[in-house]
Coordinates of all heavy atoms in Angstrom, one line a residue:
Q498 N -90.2 -18.0 16.7 CA -90.4 -17.9 15.3 C -89.1 -18.0 14.5 O -88.0 -17.5 15.0 CB -91.1 -16.5 14.9 CG -92.5 -16.5 15.5 CD -93.3 -15.3 15.0 OE1 -92.7 -14.3 14.5 NE2 -94.6 -15.3 15.2
Q539 N -91.3 -35.9 -0.9 CA -91.2 -35.7 0.6 C -90.1 -34.7 0.9 O -89.1 -34.6 0.2 CB -91.0 -37.0 1.3 CG -92.2 -37.9 1.4 CD -92.1 -39.0 2.4 OE1 -90.9 -39.5 2.6 NE2 -93.1 -39.4 3.0
I564 N -73.4 -26.4 7.7 CA -74.4 -25.8 8.7 C -73.6 -25.2 9.8 O -72.7 -25.8 10.3 CB -75.4 -26.9 9.1 CG1 -76.5 -26.2 9.9 CG2 -74.7 -28.0 9.9 CD1 -77.7 -27.2 10.2
N579 N -70.7 -25.3 -4.8 CA -70.7 -26.2 -5.9 C -72.2 -26.7 -6.2 O -72.4 -27.9 -6.3 CB -69.8 -27.4 -5.6 CG -69.5 -28.2 -6.9 OD1 -69.7 -27.7 -8.0 ND2 -69.0 -29.4 -6.7
V587 N -87.3 -25.9 -2.5 CA -87.6 -24.9 -1.4 C -86.9 -25.4 -0.1 O -87.1 -26.6 0.2 CB -89.1 -24.8 -1.2 CG1 -89.4 -23.8 0.0 CG2 -89.8 -24.3 -2.4
Y588 N -86.2 -24.6 0.5 CA -85.4 -25.0 1.7 C -86.1 -24.4 2.9 O -86.5 -23.2 3.0 CB -84.0 -24.4 1.6 CG -83.1 -25.2 0.6 CD1 -83.3 -25.2 -0.8 CD2 -82.1 -26.1 1.1 CE1 -82.6 -26.0 -1.6 CE2 -81.3 -26.9 0.2 CZ -81.6 -26.8 -1.1 OH -80.8 -27.5 -2.0
V616 N -81.1 -23.6 -9.1 CA -79.8 -23.7 -9.7 C -80.0 -24.0 -11.2 O -80.5 -25.0 -11.6 CB -79.0 -24.8 -9.1 CG1 -77.6 -24.8 -9.7 CG2 -78.9 -24.6 -7.6

Side-chain angles (χ1 to χ4, degrees):
Q498 294 189 342
Q539 282 193 330
I564 188 171
N579 195 20
V587 177
Y588 284 71
V616 185

